[in-house]
Amino acid sequence: MINNKTQDQELIDMETLERVAPIIRNAAHPIRLRILDFLRQQGQPCTVTQIMEAAGIGQALVSQQLRILKDQGVLSARREGNYMRYDIADSSVLLLLDCIREHQVQ
């Protein structure tokens, strides 16, 4: 049964859904979600080394995941000396983490 509140709202237009589907699809990977969760928790740009330690995985795999998130515009990167620092560029993707936390087994 559909409640009245849902009936009063219009469906999201297809153009928007087509634009955001690749972002959601690419973010919806356990390692990428872990990276986003870590960056959110830190509240500041982090190096690949910091992200590797938090995710518990190697440099090559972290770099691959960071590239995917950066290519989708979810993350930004800036060079500081010998280091690249990654940060969340599109905070709307963090709503995925909120949904996950709501379903987390306590």
Side-chain angles (χ1 to χ4, degrees):
M1 180 175 176
I2 299 174
N3 66 36
N4 290 337
K5 187 175 183 180
T6 304
Q7 289 175 338
D8 292 342
Q9 297 175 351
E10 289 186 34
L11 293 175
I12 300 168
D13 62 89
M14 285 303 292
E15 182 179 316
T16 299
L17 293 172
E18 289 171 358
R19 182 174 38 79
V20 300
I23 296 168
I24 294 169
R25 184 173 41 254
N26 283 311
H29 181 282
I31 294 171
R32 293 178 211 138
L33 290 167
R34 179 75 153 197
I35 290 169
L36 291 170
D37 198 27
F38 172 71
L39 290 172
R40 176 191 214 173
Q41 183 185 56
Q42 296 305 299
Q44 62 186 12
C46 294
T47 65
V48 173
T49 302
Q50 292 170 313
I51 296 167
M52 283 172 40
E53 291 171 2
I57 56 175
Q59 187 269 331
L61 187 53
V62 166
S63 292
Q64 179 185 33
Q65 305 310 315
L66 290 170
R67 181 188 50 78
I68 291 167
L69 291 169
K70 187 174 172 276
D71 288 350
Q72 283 296 319
V74 174
L75 294 183
S76 62
R78 74 171 192 267
R79 181 165 296 284
E80 287 184 6
N82 292 331
Y83 299 98
M84 288 296 288
R85 293 200 174 266
Y86 291 86
D87 200 7
I88 296 167
D90 182 355
S91 61
S92 66
V93 77
L94 298 178
L95 296 172
L96 292 171
L97 295 174
D98 294 338
C99 290
I100 293 166
R101 286 194 190 285
E102 285 184 30
H103 293 90
Q104 186 173 345
V105 177
Q106 302 282 335

